[in-house]
Amino acid sequence: MKTYIGYLIVMCNLLLCSCQQTTSNPRFYDEGVSQELAILRKQEIKELKYKLYFSIPEQKSVPVNGEIAIEFNLDAPQEIILDFREKPEKIKSVSVNGQTARYEFHNEHIILPEKNIVEGKNNITIKFIAGNQSLNRNDEFLYTLLVPDRARTLFPCFEQPNLKATFSLRLDIPTAWKAVSNTYITKEETKGNCKTVTFAPTEPLSTYLFSFVTGKLEHQEYTEGNRKISAYYRETDSKKVAQLDTIFKQVTASLNWLEEYTNVPYPFAKYDFIILPGFQYGGMEHTGATLYNDTQMFLSENPTPDEELRRTQLIAHETAHMWFGDLVTMNWFDDVWTKEVFANYFAALITEPLFPQVNHQLNWMKTYTAASLSEDRTPGTTAIRQPLDNLQNAGLIYGQIIYNKAPVMMVKLVELMGKEAFREGIQEYLKTYAYANATWDDLIQILNSKTEQDLTAFSDVWVNQKGMPIINFEVSGKQLTIHQQDSYQRGLNWPQKFNITLCGTRDTTIEASLTDSLCRITLPFTPTRILPNTDGRGYGLFIPDNNSLHWLLEHWQEIDNETTRQAVLMMMHENYQAKRIPNTTWMNALLNGIHCEKNPLIASTLTNYLSSPLQETSSVERDKIENELYRLSYSHPIPSCRIQLLRLLITEAASPAMIQCLYSLWETERVQQLNEKDYTTLAYELALRIPEQGKEILKTQRQRIHNPDRLRQFDFISRAMTADTLKLDSLFQSLLQAENRRIEPWAATTLSYLNHSTRKDYAVKYIRPALEELTEVQRTGDIFFPRNWVGALLRNHDSEAAYKAVETFLSVYPDYSPLLKNKILQAAYPLYRKYADKEKIS
């Protein structure tokens, strides 16, 4: 941490000395936005304003014309470098302070010479053809998605989060379309087939938060007290649309909770949201125009508790961003995690009163701890805070670590300093940096003033270092020894507290406080076994002594306390992933639990865990297990567990008898708890597993779909169900073209089916070219797409040939982007776990 701060101080001093000599630093002209350029521009550019105009044609094939007026103040004339990641011919004209200006276009930059720039106020006007990459154009609607550095793909700008500006927007759109943006509409005029919509100026925003949506959209309003919220959507199912009442109430509850906790009123002009088909993320926190994925918001008639909790947490997450990310924004995208940690940390707290019947500590472990461990155990894991030299790589920083390990860390930080001191610090942080930018170090400085604890030292391990501790437990009489190890052998120790249950003539819980690599605790009696981390607060790979682990594998399901039951289940799963538990033993432990489990969240965890050992089970045993799970899918006392078991079988069943059972189920649609998406997935699986009936199955399923957006999705994905290998190869080649993967969830799903387990031997040949395309996927796609791309590619592969294909690719490119390599290693973890030696995995 100190080294990093020192580097920035030196860099700032160098730039202060050379700000009039920009040409002396060639990194200012690098593709993307270098950190050096961002630091310089932040020093010089003040009172920034953007006035934007776009003419949106109804046909998505027709270009979008745009115009931008950029106004800012300077203390002295200097060269100006704007960012525009498009072809130079898309720039129609450039004028500076009312005069046509000459400019250079180099490495995605519009460079204006110092002679055109004046001291004080400057105004640059550029007419251009908008880039399509971030317009997300569909037949009847479009939406912008500009995080983290995609505003420059749409219009020329100063693309960096710490140059906040006010945005004024005017749109020309077809008369039948509606338009939504960050602020209210101030004027609307119709002339013939065109409608002009003008929006009020925004509050100060970073470029990635500017947004608009336009198209054929339905609209509903909701009022509670003095607060009015609008929803825009394309859903046609009246039962799903009826869920807007619940969604509105949860949005309002989230806003009210955050206002009370932060003591800061909602800081923006309005709060509207738009629910869209094919949206790349769960949600995106544009002020006044939050975007959501339709499948995350409109649930089936019989949602599982997981699905209901996930939707509420998503709403709370995006709402929390209004304060954490939008009002106070990170200074640079190396701290992007600071907005995500608050969004998820507060999402959990906001959700608690909305679901009083739920065990929220259990749900926390299941949601955040488990997701973080799934990435932290891989050879592609990262630190929470990662260095970033150029904004064009910012999207690669996103992942389970910043979304889920960061809030795990935050809980420990709050425990260390106290809840009230933490809240006071948060309120001071928001007031100090409102409508501005801050770093993690700025926050730590404020929080340090509220406590005597050394939060800087705590942060250095938990935030700045990758990996997790391996924690071993040994019992000798009344002496418990806890060894903490750093799997990367750096000698690190992660300070944390967690409970340990001592079992014997009586069960007793004690708290362990780890501050060093070795912790010895004298116990009140000699236990027969010890159960580590029974409250789920601890984080890492917990390795109990052999006697205790053996008992847990046989009897874990007998534990009465639900939190403890979930915690030890997750602990055993991590030991299974570390190859300390044989596959058959683990499968038996899961099956023993699934039969008698009464908590739906634990049952959901069990169902998820069944997938991996099921794939490694011999065919004879697998047939028996599939039949057992199928019986449970009708008889289990938990309704959501029945649905989840069926969904497991839909994607994992391999025996001919079970395939026939599922075919009968699909043909009659007799399970009302399954939704249209489930039956569509089942149709895909059946078409692959019964290829001679594939065409008829797909034809029938298509006739069952009535929503036009879902029909387009079906037509896109179902192409991968053909048995014709020439068509498969052609489809795969088409996905290597950026224009054919614009709707990223559809493209990833299609790639996954191309690499389905039924054709994994044939599909090994797709691995190398798909990995070759990854840098282009990152360049042309959104932030989650590189990881989703390699996940879809490798998820169903388990052969040594697939492992060697990955290894060969990485060996051919020894200087491959470390951030992209991490994405490959994360996705390839099951292959490395199976075929690499232990030294390579650790």
Side-chain angles (χ1 to χ4, degrees):
M1 178 82 70
K2 292 178 180 177
T3 303
Y4 184 80
I5 295 170
Y7 165 78
L8 287 183
I9 292 171
V10 171
M11 182 61 67
C12 288
N13 288 334
L14 287 173
L15 290 170
L16 282 170
C17 295
S18 62
C19 64
Q20 299 301 317
Q21 302 175 20
T22 58
T23 54
S24 66
N25 191 335
R27 293 210 62 187
F28 293 154
Y29 310 108
D30 285 355
E31 289 186 358
V33 180
S34 69
Q35 192 171 24
E36 292 89 338
L37 175 60
I39 292 171
L40 174 72
R41 293 195 302 203
K42 176 59 178 174
Q43 293 169 349
E44 302 301 324
I45 295 169
K46 300 175 177 66
E47 299 177 47
L48 180 61
K49 298 177 182 178
Y50 295 109
K51 293 181 180 180
L52 279 157
Y53 162 77
F54 295 97
S55 177
I56 312 291
E58 188 165 9
Q59 297 78 21
K60 67 178 183 180
S61 59
V62 179
V64 172
N65 288 311
E67 182 175 326
I68 186 168
I70 308 172
E71 183 182 299
F72 56 91
N73 282 357
L74 292 172
D75 291 336
Q78 62 180 269
E79 179 182 79
I80 294 298
I81 304 174
L82 289 163
D83 312 315
F84 188 47
R85 208 185 88 185
E86 268 298 339
K87 296 177 180 178
E89 54 265 30
K90 288 197 173 183
I91 303 168
K92 292 183 174 181
S93 66
V94 178
S95 65
V96 178
N97 298 321
Q99 301 294 319
T100 300
R102 300 185 66 178
Y103 63 91
E104 291 183 35
F105 189 87
H106 181 66
N107 279 353
E108 307 171 346
H109 299 298
I110 300 171
I111 303 167
L112 297 164
E114 180 181 327
K115 65 180 181 180
N116 295 118
I117 307 300
V118 299
E119 178 184 342
K121 183 181 291 186
N122 286 266
N123 197 306
I124 300 170
T125 300
I126 303 174
K127 294 182 179 180
F128 58 95
I129 298 173
N132 265 330
Q133 177 175 343
S134 301
L135 273 175
N136 297 283
R137 302 178 74 177
N138 293 265
D139 289 334
E140 295 184 336
F141 67 98
L142 65 80
Y143 60 92
T144 64
L145 184 58
L146 307 181
V147 64
D149 68 326
R150 298 301 195 254
R152 65 193 180 99
T153 70
L154 180 60
F155 57 86
C157 59
F158 297 110
E159 181 81 288
Q160 55 192 82
N162 60 2
L163 274 180
K164 289 193 169 185
T166 59
F167 290 80
S168 300
L169 174 65
R170 181 166 53 93
L171 296 175
D172 282 346
I173 59 174
T175 52
W177 288 20
K178 293 181 176 70
V180 194
S181 189
N182 303 95
T183 53
Y184 289 110
I185 294 173
T186 59
K187 189 176 181 182
E188 195 168 300
E189 295 178 309
T190 301
K191 292 182 180 180
N193 295 324
C194 180
K195 179 166 58 178
T196 300
V197 184
T198 304
F199 295 87
T202 69
E203 298 82 1
L205 298 179
S206 301
T207 47
Y208 79 89
L209 291 170
F210 169 72
S211 182
F212 63 87
V213 181
T214 182
K216 293 182 179 179
L217 303 167
E218 299 299 320
H219 175 227
Q220 278 196 33
E221 289 187 350
Y222 175 83
T223 301
E224 183 177 304
N226 296 324
R227 201 186 304 280
K228 184 170 76 172
I229 300 171
S230 289
Y232 297 83
Y233 55 93
R234 286 181 54 80
E235 181 57 62
T236 56
D237 185 333
S238 59
K239 292 181 180 179
K240 290 186 176 181
V241 173
Q243 297 175 39
L244 282 172
D245 288 342
T246 299
I247 294 168
F248 278 130
K249 289 174 183 177
Q250 292 185 353
V251 169
T252 303
S254 299
L255 289 167
N256 292 340
W257 191 98
L258 285 154
E259 287 183 329
E260 194 277 329
Y261 183 93
T262 64
N263 199 29
V264 176
Y266 176 67
F268 299 100
K270 67 180 177 77
Y271 193 105
D272 294 344
F273 59 89
I274 306 97
I275 302 175
L276 296 168
F279 184 60
Q280 294 92 314
Y281 316 155
M284 178 58 204
E285 67 271 17
H286 307 121
T287 62
T290 297
L291 304 188
Y292 287 109
N293 177 282
D294 63 340
T295 62
Q296 299 289 310
M297 299 297 276
F298 291 129
L299 307 181
S300 66
E301 290 185 61
N302 302 285
T304 66
D306 301 75
E307 291 167 337
E308 291 187 286
L309 283 164
R310 191 182 306 123
R311 178 174 66 185
T312 305
Q313 289 169 329
L314 174 61
I315 290 169
H317 175 107
E318 303 304 340
T319 309
H321 271 314
M322 300 299 118
W323 284 260
F324 302 94
D326 296 3
L327 176 63
V328 179
T329 309
M330 64 277 163
N331 190 63
W332 185 242
F333 265 87
D334 58 346
D335 271 336
V336 65
W337 68 275
T338 58
K339 71 185 183 73
E340 303 305 339
V341 64
F342 284 124
N344 266 350
Y345 175 76
F346 287 119
L349 297 179
I350 293 166
T351 301
E352 286 191 21
L354 299 176
F355 290 85
Q357 76 282 9
V358 168
N359 180 330
H360 287 282
Q361 174 59 18
L362 189 161
N363 187 51
W364 173 276
M365 289 186 284
K366 175 181 169 57
T367 303
Y368 300 115
T369 308
S372 176
L373 289 169
S374 72
E375 192 163 292
D376 220 3
R377 76 170 83 99
T378 76
T381 190
T382 67
I384 293 175
R385 190 184 199 184
Q386 303 170 61
L388 180 69
D389 64 342
N390 193 301
L391 199 61
Q392 67 181 348
N393 295 318
L396 296 175
I397 287 178
Y398 289 77
Q400 300 287 4
I401 298 300
I402 73 165
Y403 278 96
N404 296 303
K405 186 177 182 178
V408 169
M409 174 279 300
M410 188 63 78
V411 167
K412 298 181 184 304
L413 184 147
V414 174
E415 183 181 44
L416 189 62
M417 67 180 298
K419 291 182 179 179
E420 284 307 311
F422 177 75
R423 184 178 181 183
E424 289 176 16
I426 291 303
Q427 291 181 351
E428 182 178 330
Y429 168 76
L430 290 173
K431 288 179 172 63
T432 302
Y433 296 103
Y435 302 107
N437 302 80
T439 67
W440 172 248
D441 299 321
D442 293 327
L443 174 60
I444 286 294
Q445 185 176 2
I446 290 174
L447 295 180
N448 262 328
S449 71
K450 310 295 180 184
T451 179
E452 295 180 356
Q453 302 293 331
D454 186 353
L455 301 183
T456 303
F458 170 91
S459 174
D460 189 51
V461 174
W462 278 101
V463 174
N464 295 332
Q465 307 296 334
K466 72 174 182 178
M468 61 182 179
I470 300 172
I471 303 172
N472 286 271
F473 295 79
E474 298 175 7
V475 180
S476 178
K478 292 185 179 181
Q479 189 75 23
L480 170 62
T481 303
I482 306 174
H483 295 271
Q484 181 178 185
Q485 296 174 281
D486 173 11
S487 60
Y488 292 95
Q489 300 178 345
R490 297 159 297 181
L492 298 178
N493 295 302
W494 285 260
Q496 58 177 317
K497 297 178 181 179
F498 50 83
N499 284 356
I500 300 170
T501 298
L502 312 176
C503 302
T505 53
R506 65 187 188 279
D507 289 355
T508 300
T509 298
I510 61 173
E511 183 179 69
S513 180
L514 299 192
T515 58
D516 208 338
S517 60
L518 186 64
C519 175
R520 288 191 174 93
I521 302 174
T522 300
L523 306 177
F525 59 89
T526 300
T528 56
R529 58 189 172 276
I530 62 106
L531 310 184
N533 193 32
T534 48
D535 59 349
R537 281 187 295 159
Y539 182 82
L541 172 59
F542 290 84
I543 302 179
D545 64 279
N546 289 333
N547 175 59
S548 299
L549 181 58
H550 179 77
W551 183 90
L552 281 169
L553 288 165
E554 294 288 336
H555 302 283
W556 74 273
Q557 69 275 7
E558 300 168 12
I559 297 171
D560 290 332
N561 184 282
E562 292 177 336
T563 301
T564 300
R565 205 157 67 245
Q566 174 75 19
V568 299
L569 175 61
M570 289 172 55
M571 177 187 68
M572 291 189 296
H573 177 67
E574 290 307 309
N575 278 264
Y576 166 72
Q577 291 293 337
K579 303 179 79 169
R580 298 192 70 256
I581 299 175
N583 195 72
T584 301
T585 304
W586 179 230
M587 175 61 81
N588 289 335
L590 295 175
L591 291 174
N592 289 340
I594 197 70
H595 280 88
C596 59
E597 185 54 57
K598 297 178 181 179
N599 183 294
L601 295 180
I602 302 177
S604 172
T605 303
L606 281 163
T607 307
N608 290 335
Y609 285 171
L610 278 166
S611 177
S612 180
L614 186 61
Q615 292 170 7
E616 297 183 31
T617 302
S618 67
S619 58
V620 174
E621 282 301 309
R622 184 166 179 166
D623 290 355
K624 295 178 183 177
I625 293 169
E626 287 180 4
N627 287 329
E628 185 177 352
L629 296 178
Y630 190 68
R631 287 193 298 271
L632 275 176
S633 74
Y634 284 91
S635 62
H636 201 284
I638 303 175
S640 60
C641 184
R642 297 197 294 269
I643 298 173
Q644 289 161 337
L645 285 169
L646 268 179
R647 288 172 178 166
L648 173 70
L649 288 168
I650 285 171
T651 56
E652 300 295 343
S655 69
M658 186 53 57
I659 297 301
Q660 193 57 46
C661 285
L662 293 173
Y663 177 81
S664 176
L665 183 155
W666 168 83
E667 188 177 36
T668 58
E669 295 185 284
R670 67 173 180 265
V671 181
Q672 294 181 353
Q673 290 80 7
L674 294 180
N675 57 37
E676 181 185 88
K677 181 181 178 182
D678 293 322
Y679 280 111
T680 300
T681 301
L682 180 51
Y684 292 154
E685 293 288 340
L686 291 171
L688 289 168
R689 296 183 185 278
I690 318 174
E692 63 275 12
Q693 295 178 249
K695 288 183 179 179
E696 192 61 33
I697 290 169
L698 295 174
K699 179 182 176 182
T700 301
Q701 187 61 34
R702 192 182 192 282
Q703 292 170 347
R704 295 173 175 178
I705 301 171
H706 303 293
N707 180 279
D709 293 321
R710 287 194 283 277
L711 268 176
R712 290 192 304 118
Q713 179 181 8
F714 180 86
D715 290 341
F716 187 97
I717 295 170
S718 62
R719 297 174 298 164
M721 309 313 145
T722 180
D724 187 330
T725 56
L726 290 177
K727 290 182 179 179
L728 290 177
D729 293 348
S730 177
L731 178 57
F732 173 74
Q733 288 298 322
S734 75
L735 292 180
L736 300 183
Q737 306 301 315
E739 63 268 21
N740 295 322
R741 48 177 191 257
R742 292 292 185 201
I743 303 179
E744 294 173 356
W746 300 3
T749 302
T750 303
L751 183 64
S752 178
Y753 281 118
L754 286 170
N755 290 272
H756 192 265
S757 58
T758 57
R759 50 173 64 131
K760 57 190 177 185
D761 292 338
Y762 180 82
V764 167
K765 70 177 188 176
Y766 295 148
I767 293 176
R768 177 65 178 270
L771 292 179
E772 297 276 4
E773 184 66 13
L774 187 56
T775 53
E776 194 66 11
V777 167
Q778 186 257 329
R779 191 185 72 83
T780 59
D782 282 299
I783 53 180
F784 301 114
F785 197 34
R787 178 61 177 84
N788 291 342
W789 176 265
V790 289
L793 174 70
L794 300 176
R795 184 179 303 121
N796 296 315
H797 285 285
D798 61 2
S799 68
E800 188 170 9
Y803 167 71
K804 288 181 177 178
V806 175
E807 278 285 273
T808 299
F809 173 81
L810 294 176
S811 66
V812 169
Y813 298 100
D815 299 323
Y816 196 67
S817 161
L819 291 173
L820 273 178
K821 182 179 180 180
N822 285 336
K823 302 301 179 188
I824 297 172
L825 292 174
Q826 291 162 14
Y829 171 73
L831 293 171
Y832 278 78
R833 177 180 176 272
K834 188 171 183 178
Y835 296 106
D837 55 44
K838 292 181 180 180
E839 289 76 19
K840 198 159 193 176
I841 294 176
S842 65

